Amino acid sequence: MILETNRLVIRPVGESDEKSFVLMAADGSLNDIGFDRDCGEWMGEWIREAKELAKTDDPLAEYLAYTVVLKESGEAIGSVGCSYYDDLDKVGVTYFIGARHRGGGYAAEAVKAYAEYFLSHYGIPELIATVREDNTASWRTVEKAGFALVEKRLYKDINDSKEEMYRFYARN
């Protein structure tokens, strides 16, 4: 799968992304998604796993991850994809943009493009987003990408140590 927007290319994750992803996580800003400062120890394995999952192209399996690249320079700046939530029996969008490139609308552009692809490609009628209430930038991102707020409630995501207030979004 390769998607293009005005400014971005969304392509399969590759070995060449390892260094970029590790550098993006070095500042600690990706801890919430599980890419901690020590991710260099396991990033290669994660990339190999992501490549294998992409071959199955099954969003209900576990997750699908793709690299977000600046079209003009070819620089990897983040990731977008989806993850299956066993506890919710739904597929949710996943994404991150490295701190150097935040605030430029890249996340919303990537999420919107991926959501459109997902909904037209898989025959699954809904893609959700779960966003912690205190992560204003992230919930604004999914709103800009066309997701609608469905509810707010306490929830414990996979990387949370305790229940937190979350916003639940859906896009059909």
Side-chain angles (χ1 to χ4, degrees):
M1 186 243 358
I2 296 178
L3 303 175
E4 288 193 34
T5 69
N6 288 339
R7 304 179 298 164
L8 306 173
V9 174
I10 299 167
R11 60 155 174 80
V13 171
E15 283 84 10
S16 63
D17 299 320
E18 183 173 354
K19 183 178 180 181
S20 296
F21 287 170
V22 170
L23 288 173
M24 285 179 229
D27 66 1
S29 67
L30 301 180
N31 287 352
D32 284 353
I33 61 157
F35 281 26
D36 58 20
R37 288 186 170 107
D38 298 325
C39 70
E41 297 172 12
W42 50 263
M43 185 59 70
E45 181 58 35
W46 181 85
I47 288 174
R48 285 186 287 283
E49 179 182 83
K51 288 175 65 176
E52 287 301 311
L53 288 167
K55 287 179 187 175
T56 68
D57 197 28
D58 181 3
L60 302 176
E62 189 173 344
Y63 68 89
L64 297 172
Y66 301 93
T67 302
V68 177
V69 177
L70 289 176
K71 190 184 282 187
E72 190 173 290
S73 68
E75 178 185 1
I77 63 166
S79 180
V80 68
C82 63
S83 183
Y84 180 71
Y85 287 75
D86 287 324
D87 58 339
L88 302 173
D89 193 28
K90 294 185 183 276
V91 180
V93 68
T94 58
Y95 60 92
F96 68 83
I97 297 294
R100 281 184 354 148
H101 295 284
R102 291 184 192 148
Y106 296 122
E109 190 173 329
V111 169
K112 181 179 181 186
Y114 184 76
E116 289 170 357
Y117 168 81
F118 179 93
L119 293 167
S120 68
H121 181 73
Y122 293 111
I124 297 172
E126 178 183 67
L127 182 63
I128 68 164
T130 59
V131 183
R132 264 200 346 257
E133 176 69 26
D134 64 354
N135 192 344
T136 306
S138 195
W139 54 259
R140 285 188 177 149
T141 293
V142 296
E143 288 175 357
K144 288 176 188 171
F147 286 75
L149 181 63
V150 176
E151 71 174 318
K152 296 179 189 182
R153 67 176 166 91
L154 289 174
Y155 180 67
K156 185 179 180 295
D157 199 23
I158 193 167
N159 294 312
D160 293 340
S161 59
K162 61 182 174 59
E163 281 191 333
E164 304 276 350
M165 184 59 73
Y166 270 79
R167 289 172 167 245
F168 288 78
Y169 289 86
R171 179 157 175 192
N172 306 78

